[in-house]
Amino acid sequence: EGFRIGTDASTGAMTGFCWTKVHADHDPVLGEIYVIAVAPAHAGRGLGRALTIAGLDWLWRERRTPVGMLYVEADNDRALATYRHLGFEVHATDVLFTPPPGSSSAGSPSAESP
């Protein structure tokens, strides 16, 4: 329920999926595109857009969610463009990690030798 799967018509192989969630504790009820993925071999063919639309359609038809939301990484330009074309707007930006001031990279911490 709430899980849309894209398949290759000729092979039946899964090409991507869209997993949705409903947040009934919100007013109005909130529909979320929780996870969406496209197999790398099928990227750039509009499948992400089609799966997003299928997920939103399911959220509306089956759960009557008037508001939709999703999270996306800020550096995922392809997904951001897709969502903007579908009418999504940035509502909030979360920062989960920032390197300490003066650090040279955001990589793993390194141990110093004695």
Side-chain angles (χ1 to χ4, degrees):
E1 183 173 41
F3 198 79
R4 316 284 63 148
I5 298 174
T7 57
D8 184 300
S10 62
T11 66
M14 184 168 63
T15 56
F17 66 88
C18 177
W19 180 8
T20 61
K21 284 175 67 173
V22 175
H23 299 272
D25 57 336
H26 285 256
D27 186 22
V29 174
L30 181 64
E32 178 180 1
I33 300 294
Y34 184 59
V35 179
I36 189 163
V38 173
H42 296 275
R45 300 180 188 178
L47 184 57
R49 180 182 193 284
L51 287 167
T52 302
I53 291 170
L56 293 170
D57 180 63
W58 184 88
L59 286 165
W60 173 247
R61 280 185 302 100
E62 300 297 324
R63 296 292 186 254
R64 292 293 188 234
T65 56
V67 178
M69 61 150 303
L70 53 83
Y71 293 95
V72 63
E73 296 293 327
D75 62 353
N76 189 339
D77 295 329
R78 181 175 279 165
L80 286 166
T82 296
Y83 301 140
R84 283 190 189 110
H85 285 271
L86 290 173
F88 281 89
E89 298 175 358
V90 174
H91 176 73
T93 302
D94 295 327
V95 177
L96 301 179
F97 172 80
T98 57
S103 70
S104 60
S105 73
S108 311
S110 60
E112 292 184 15
S113 300

